[in-house]
Amino acid sequence: MAPEPLVAYLLELADDELLLGHRHSEWTAFAPTIEEDVAFASIAQDEIGHARLFLAAVAERTGEDPDRLAFLRGADARRNAVLVELPNRDWAFSIARQALYDLADDVRTEALLLSPEPVLRQTAALIRREERYHLEHGRLWVDRLLAGSGESRGRMATALAEVAPQAAGVLMPTDAQAALHDAGVLPVSGAELVRRFQGRLAAWLGAEWAARAVPSGDRAGEHTPHLAALLDQMSEVLRLDPEAAW
Amino acid sequence: MLVDQGDVLAALATVHDPEIPVLSIVDLGLVAEVTVDGGRVSVDLMPTFAACPALHVIRQEVERRLRDLPGVEAVAVRFVLEPVWTVDRISPEGRERLRSFGIAFPGEAAPPCPYCGSTATRRESAFGPTLCRQVYYCDGCRQPFEALKAVGRMGGGS
């Protein structure tokens, strides 16, 4: 049985934040500078904290256990954007993904501030206090790498070209979102969110980059094989003894 | 013996942030609401950062301190989403204790160095040893120092 739209949407938000948080955490001890090691670890921790808020909201409505929701749902049940499940590659890719995901998330949570549903409005307000530092971080690094040497510029441009459509895809409406939009719970349509994202990209990186942000990677449940591998790794310890008390 | 609001607030003032032990949760402005109904006490706290690991410790400590109060029969501690905690909820005394601990309170511009008072400071990184702190450098005494993030203060300060 499909969950009610609000629960489905909360799980979409939770999965985006949880999986990207896990991907960011993979830089711990491997980032190019100690400051970036700390930055990615902190951003990862923030995102996982946001996932926890969304999962707590699900748990309140369904009585399920947030940890099991986080770790024991299979790839088939996930509705995250494809962007967040992709493996890290070079530094430019991770920076492009952090910067553009957080830009898309900023557009999304800004719209949630106007939702009549308290849990969406209040959670958005809480997490946006933290996200301003993520936005600043991503912007600073993208600008820095684009202003660097030929190799730096080239890698950043390659990463942005790949990430821009996928980041726009974060805002692609699912059935749950469409139902919530029709019901007035989500005040802004997915199509309008994508337009706002493109507008923000145009103001920052220029119209040519905004034009590339044509959404790809829909959220209807199609995933890359990377997701199953990622979930396998994330749940490895919990699966050893799902009943253990921590 | 009956417990009253004053007893509860006094007990809450003895619960300290494990990551910034010079500050109590009252100094931090975490207490949103206290309700006393006979022997039943409920406390609403505001989370600072969504993933702050100190919140669990604080909740346990609040429950323990309140259960120890004479006249208390039941304790309920909740973290609420609203109102939203901002850095400006930290009391003036709390800001001063923070400075003496070596952590600057964020201002409109780069904060003065908590060690030497110099205003020749600059931010090195927005991310530090805990989620709530960022790292600055003082050109006056040539030392790094930490400042709280200006969370909840939209548009102003860094």
Side-chain angles (χ1 to χ4, degrees), chain A residues 121-140:
Chain A
R121 190 177 66 235
Q122 293 170 356
T123 308
L126 196 74
I127 71 181
R128 286 175 61 79
R129 300 172 314 154
E130 302 170 13
E131 289 291 340
R132 71 181 260 208
Y133 292 95
H134 302 191
L135 284 173
E136 184 187 78
H137 175 268
R139 191 179 180 114
L140 188 137

Side-chain angles (χ1 to χ4, degrees), chain A residues 47-67:
Chain A
E47 303 296 21
I48 292 167
H50 303 164
R52 198 165 65 180
L53 290 175
F54 291 124
L55 292 173
V58 171
E60 246 177 53
R61 284 160 179 78
T62 66
E64 291 167 283
D65 174 49
D67 283 338

Side-chain angles (χ1 to χ4, degrees), chain B residues 49-62:
Chain B
F49 281 69
C52 177
L55 298 177
H56 299 286
V57 180
I58 287 171
R59 180 210 291 264
Q60 285 171 3
E61 192 63 14
V62 167

Side-chain angles (χ1 to χ4, degrees), chain A residues 98-160:
Chain A
Q98 187 262 306
L100 268 54
Y101 172 83
D102 280 327
L103 190 63
D105 194 39
D106 189 56
V107 167
R108 173 165 72 181
T109 58
E110 185 181 52
L112 290 182
L113 293 177
L114 300 174
S115 172
E117 168 54 49
V119 76
L120 293 175
R121 190 177 66 235
Q122 293 170 356
T123 308
L126 196 74
I127 71 181
R128 286 175 61 79
R129 300 172 314 154
E130 302 170 13
E131 289 291 340
R132 71 181 260 208
Y133 292 95
H134 302 191
L135 284 173
E136 184 187 78
H137 175 268
R139 191 179 180 114
L140 188 137
W141 268 98
V142 169
D143 287 346
R144 180 181 290 170
L145 294 177
L146 282 177
S149 67
E151 176 160 8
S152 170
R153 259 200 321 278
R155 282 180 182 244
M156 197 65 238
T158 302
L160 285 173

